Amino acid sequence: MAEGENRPLTREEWIARVREEGREETIRSEMIRLGFWSNDSLPEEERRQQALEDEEYRRLRQKLAELQRESAKLENIDQLLKEARRKRIEESKKKRAERKERRERERAEAKKRWESYRQHHIVHAGVGVSGGLQETEWDEEKLRQHQLPLIRTAEELAEAMGITLSRLKWLTYHRQTATVCHYYRFTIPKKSGGRREISSPKKALREAQSWIKEQILDRIPPHPAACGFVPGKSTLDHARQHLRQHVVVKMDLKDFFPSITFYRVKGLFQSFGYSELISTLLALLCTEPPRKEVTFDGKVYHVAIGERQLPQGACTSPAITNLICRSLDRRLEGLAKAKGFRYSRYADDLAFSGGIDGEQQIGSLLNMARRIIRDERFEVQEEKTRVMRSSNRQKITGIVVNEKLNLRRRELRAFRALLHSVEKNGLAQENRHHHPDFWGYIKGMANYIRMVRPDWEARLAKQLVRIGKKHELPVPKWCQQAVVKG
């Protein structure tokens, strides 16, 4: 050992040695180093024991060092937990931000798809009528059988009509309270008294309805018993079938047009093979609720006072009534044949007629007819039901059918008197009921009379020609031809 090898340890050295080797080992080794204790003086057995103790001591010191290192780590556990928690929070925030960004992107894409879908489809047509707008299933085979336009989407319907999809949306949207009405409304007098409301469609809707009538409704034939609003048929055909019969039974349907509602019209178009979507749009174009004008805060509103129904004045309404009545006509015709009667219908005017053998069947015929009419969701206007026998005047749609097609003499005289007054005083003075087209009414009535009574054609023509010349009014061609022929 260098100089100072046997010097005592300083306090700091003692503390360092004790910490490193332990108190007992430090004392023993220092005693040996300073010559107070010889290692050789120990017995062999004690030296071996001492060696074992030294080895055990080193092992324990090594274990202690390991535990101290582990303890140092444990002292930093809170920091480690904080660090781990911080990392988890950062990762969670990052994931949330990614999810949020993904959801926002998905929402933006969905909104874009929805806007694109709305531009090409009709997704809502108003409260209470929009059910089924997503149903596009159709019966193509049935449509081809009827030779109807093959239309599956709202865009195709608009294109077929020659209008834009936005215009179709505007025409079909249903509002309980609307600031714009697609109809002109006015009233005309009824023959039975009171006034009848007429709803005449405005230009855009009228053109759409005309397309429906020509391209769809006119291609489906009504039942042969239908005579009203059928090309080539008139009230004459309705009356002629019951000419010179022993008994004529007449029945009227109550509220004929209003009883045919939106859902019945929609069902009709579906029966042709159209999807619920297209049937809904077609029914919306053909129906309208009765409305009342209300002024509020200086603005006019058209408020619905009932459900959507067939408006009187639309060109589609008569054709739709005939097609909806196909089942009614079929059943009533079958009933009539079973009872020995004939049957025909002109709009809401039902007529049965039979010979003397059918006299005993009248009560049964009426009762069963009422039941069929109720089954077909119509109602009989009982006060207009008539049983007319040949001993009295028999009239159907204003035409007498006892012996020949005729009109009441009083009606003929009244019309001739009207013509005489108009010729003398002019249209304005004689239009006491304020008819919107009084001259059109006169010409129509004259034409009707000449069809029922051809023998009156010449005298009517002469009077109309005189009125036309005197008051500078247009005269029908048949009048000129009749005067030349006469």
Side-chain angles (χ1 to χ4, degrees):
M1 177 176 280
E3 186 178 355
E5 182 179 18
N6 294 324
R7 68 174 177 80
L9 295 176
T10 65
R11 185 173 183 276
E12 289 76 8
E13 288 174 340
W14 268 103
I15 292 173
R17 290 282 300 275
V18 169
R19 285 181 177 175
E20 181 180 354
E21 299 176 3
R23 183 171 177 274
E24 295 296 329
E25 178 63 20
T26 301
I27 293 172
R28 189 177 69 83
S29 62
E30 280 301 302
M31 289 179 69
I32 293 173
R33 181 179 69 84
L34 295 174
F36 295 108
W37 193 4
S38 175
N39 209 19
D40 295 335
S41 62
L42 291 175
E44 182 66 23
E45 183 65 26
E46 289 186 9
R47 286 200 300 271
R48 284 198 299 270
Q49 181 65 30
Q50 183 65 43
L52 290 173
E53 290 178 356
D54 291 345
E55 179 64 24
E56 178 67 15
Y57 178 77
R58 283 192 297 271
R59 188 181 66 78
L60 291 174
R61 291 292 301 171
Q62 184 178 1
K63 185 66 175 177
L64 178 61
E66 291 177 0
L67 291 174
Q68 287 174 339
R69 287 194 295 270
E70 291 296 325
S71 176
K73 292 181 180 180
L74 291 175
E75 290 177 358
N76 295 328
I77 190 67
D78 290 340
Q79 184 65 30
L80 293 173
L81 289 174
K82 288 180 181 179
E83 184 65 20
R85 191 179 299 112
R86 182 186 64 79
K87 289 181 179 180
R88 286 199 303 271
I89 291 173
E90 288 179 355
E91 291 176 0
S92 178
K93 287 182 178 179
K94 183 179 178 181
K95 290 180 180 179
R96 283 201 302 269
E98 291 174 352
R99 288 196 299 268
K100 181 179 179 181
E101 182 182 357
R102 185 173 63 253
R103 286 195 300 268
E104 289 177 351
R105 185 171 61 252
E106 290 173 351
R107 280 197 293 265
E109 291 173 355
K111 183 178 180 181
K112 186 177 179 180
R113 290 195 301 270
W114 176 246
E115 291 300 326
S116 176
Y117 183 86
R118 288 185 62 185
Q119 289 178 1
H120 300 280
H121 298 81
I122 296 179
V123 297
H124 185 65
V127 177
V129 298
S130 297
L133 287 178
Q134 309 307 315
E135 300 297 328
T136 59
E137 184 178 351
W138 64 341
D139 192 333
E140 183 177 353
E141 183 180 352
K142 187 180 290 187
L143 291 172
R144 291 187 183 277
Q145 289 176 354
H146 291 308
Q147 297 183 342
L148 298 178
L150 300 178
I151 297 172
R152 191 164 191 172
T153 67
E155 269 193 322
E156 291 176 359
L157 179 60
E159 183 179 356
M161 290 182 171
I163 60 177
T164 62
L165 182 62
S166 61
R167 175 56 64 94
L168 180 62
K169 292 178 181 179
W170 179 64
L171 290 174
T172 56
Y173 196 84
H174 169 73
R175 291 180 175 87
Q176 287 295 111
T177 302
T179 55
V180 175
C181 185
H182 295 299
Y183 290 85
Y184 298 108
R185 301 180 187 275
F186 57 90
T187 61
I188 59 174
K190 293 182 180 180
K191 289 184 179 180
S192 58
R195 302 191 69 82
R196 185 189 310 277
E197 183 176 272
I198 302 298
S199 300
S200 176
K202 296 179 182 178
K203 184 176 184 295
L205 182 58
R206 184 174 67 251
E207 291 175 351
Q209 290 178 346
S210 296
W211 183 90
I212 295 173
K213 180 180 182 299
E214 294 167 6
Q215 300 299 321
I216 299 178
L217 299 175
D218 287 349
R219 298 187 182 187
I220 309 293
H223 191 276
C227 297
F229 317 114
V230 178
K233 290 186 177 182
S234 66
T235 54
L236 294 178
D237 299 282
H238 179 50
R240 189 178 288 115
Q241 298 182 56
H242 308 284
L243 192 61
R244 293 186 291 275
Q245 295 297 307
H246 174 72
V247 61
V248 174
V249 178
K250 179 180 175 297
M251 304 177 76
D252 266 41
L253 300 180
K254 185 177 181 181
D255 298 328
F256 187 48
F257 281 75
S259 66
I260 299 178
T261 61
F262 163 78
Y263 292 101
R264 297 183 72 176
V265 177
K266 176 181 172 180
L268 175 69
F269 286 112
Q270 285 184 276
S271 72
F272 299 159
Y274 285 113
S275 66
E276 191 171 356
L277 161 65
I278 299 302
S279 299
T280 297
L281 297 178
L282 293 173
L284 287 169
L285 289 169
C286 296
T287 59
E288 172 74 358
R291 295 185 181 273
K292 184 176 181 180
E293 284 191 8
V294 177
T295 302
F296 178 75
D297 199 18
K299 193 170 186 178
V300 176
Y301 295 90
H302 305 273
V303 181
I305 55 176
E307 61 181 319
R308 295 185 75 93
Q309 56 194 233
L310 288 183
Q312 295 192 52
C315 66
T316 49
S317 295
I320 289 174
T321 60
N322 278 339
L323 296 179
I324 285 182
C325 285
R326 285 178 300 175
S327 175
L328 174 71
D329 292 334
R330 176 180 53 80
R331 295 179 67 184
L332 290 180
E333 184 182 59
L335 171 64
K337 288 181 179 179
K339 300 294 182 181
F341 282 77
R342 299 174 182 178
Y343 165 75
S344 67
R345 179 181 59 81
Y346 190 94
D348 57 353
D349 190 319
L350 315 180
F352 303 86
S353 64
I356 194 169
D357 294 339
E359 183 74 29
Q360 303 301 319
Q361 298 290 336
I362 295 175
S364 175
L365 174 75
L366 286 171
N367 289 333
M368 295 185 71
R370 290 187 181 102
R371 190 178 307 148
I372 291 172
I373 291 168
R374 284 195 302 270
D375 286 347
E376 295 296 330
R377 293 183 288 172
F378 290 104
E379 186 178 350
V380 177
Q381 194 165 354
E382 294 292 355
E383 60 270 22
K384 289 190 176 182
T385 300
R386 298 285 186 273
V387 177
M388 300 170 285
R389 293 174 175 80
S390 57
S391 56
N392 297 312
R393 183 185 292 112
Q394 297 170 319
K395 285 180 61 177
I396 295 178
T397 56
I399 300 175
V400 179
V401 295
N402 289 69
E403 296 297 329
K404 64 177 182 178
L405 299 180
N406 204 352
L407 296 172
R408 296 180 65 181
R409 191 175 305 165
R410 184 173 65 184
E411 293 174 352
L412 295 173
R413 284 200 300 263
F415 185 68
R416 288 207 65 185
L418 174 62
L419 292 181
H420 176 77
S421 300
V422 169
E423 182 181 354
K424 179 180 178 181
N425 304 316
L427 286 174
Q429 187 171 338
E430 295 301 322
N431 188 10
R432 295 184 175 88
H433 297 289
H434 307 289
H435 199 289
D437 184 11
F438 193 42
W439 180 237
Y441 161 75
I442 290 175
K443 290 187 293 183
M445 189 65 185
N447 189 51
Y448 174 69
I449 292 174
R450 67 182 272 268
M451 285 195 302
V452 180
R453 291 288 302 270
D455 54 312
W456 271 63
E457 182 177 78
R459 70 183 79 178
L460 291 173
K462 290 177 182 179
Q463 282 188 283
L464 290 177
V465 168
R466 288 199 303 269
I467 293 172
K469 287 181 178 180
K470 182 176 181 179
H471 299 286
E472 298 181 351
L473 297 169
V475 178
K477 289 184 179 179
W478 66 265
C479 293
Q480 302 286 359
Q481 296 169 353
V483 170
V484 172
K485 190 187 300 183

